[in-house]
Amino acid sequence: MALSEAEGLLRIAAADLETAIASSNPLVFREAAWGFWLQQAVEKALKAWLLHLHEDEPPLTHDLRRLLRLLAVHGAEIHAWQDLGVLTVYAVQFRYDADPTPLGLDRTAFNQRVQHLVLHVELLLQKRPGGA
């Protein structure tokens, strides 16, 4: 069976999450490296969710807050995920700043939050849009 675009994005999100988890040790990996992969996982999971809600083409953006707002416009309950918007900074700014000020996020806690988001979207994709 062929994957839908949403399922494909979610599969990539899960792989990005695995990379983030593997780069969680702050003694080995810069915060920017870990944060980039985690941001990517969230971005792809949110875009998969948008596709599930019949958003024809999610916007070409790394802005997680924008994606969350768009989900809300489509009637999705996003309150539980709004804290993940802080990861947006890792998409671009941290990658091109030679000396970024660390956010000092709890890597384990954020990894778990993103795991929950990926699982949440996976469960949504198993259902038809509209809650049926």
Side-chain angles (χ1 to χ4, degrees):
M1 181 171 104
L3 293 177
S4 69
E5 187 176 358
E7 292 166 328
L9 272 177
L10 195 60
R11 182 176 285 181
I12 298 167
D16 289 345
L17 175 58
E18 286 178 16
T19 303
I21 291 169
S23 61
S24 291
N25 184 340
L27 299 175
V28 179
F29 293 93
R30 295 175 300 115
E31 183 179 318
W34 162 79
F36 170 75
W37 289 109
L38 204 61
Q39 184 282 335
Q40 287 291 290
V42 174
E43 179 182 327
K44 291 171 184 124
L46 296 178
K47 288 179 178 180
W49 191 353
L50 282 165
L51 286 166
H52 177 69
L53 295 175
H54 294 298
E55 174 74 14
D56 292 331
E57 192 69 32
L60 296 175
T61 184
H62 300 299
D63 186 340
L64 302 178
R65 290 179 180 99
R66 179 177 174 202
L67 294 171
L68 286 162
R69 285 191 303 269
L70 188 54
L71 280 163
V73 166
H74 284 284
E77 178 50 57
I78 56 140
H79 181 73
W81 312 111
Q82 288 182 318
D83 64 319
L84 297 177
V86 72
L87 299 172
T88 296
V89 72
Y90 295 111
V92 178
Q93 292 94 324
F94 263 62
R95 292 173 50 216
Y96 294 97
D97 188 340
D99 192 23
T101 302
L103 297 183
L105 300 178
D106 180 331
R107 294 184 191 195
T108 300
F110 270 86
N111 289 343
Q112 290 172 348
R113 295 281 299 124
V114 176
Q115 282 178 314
H116 291 143
L117 172 65
V118 170
L119 178 60
H120 176 75
V121 176
E122 183 180 325
L123 292 172
L124 290 173
L125 295 183
Q126 292 174 5
K127 300 177 185 177
R128 290 190 333 211

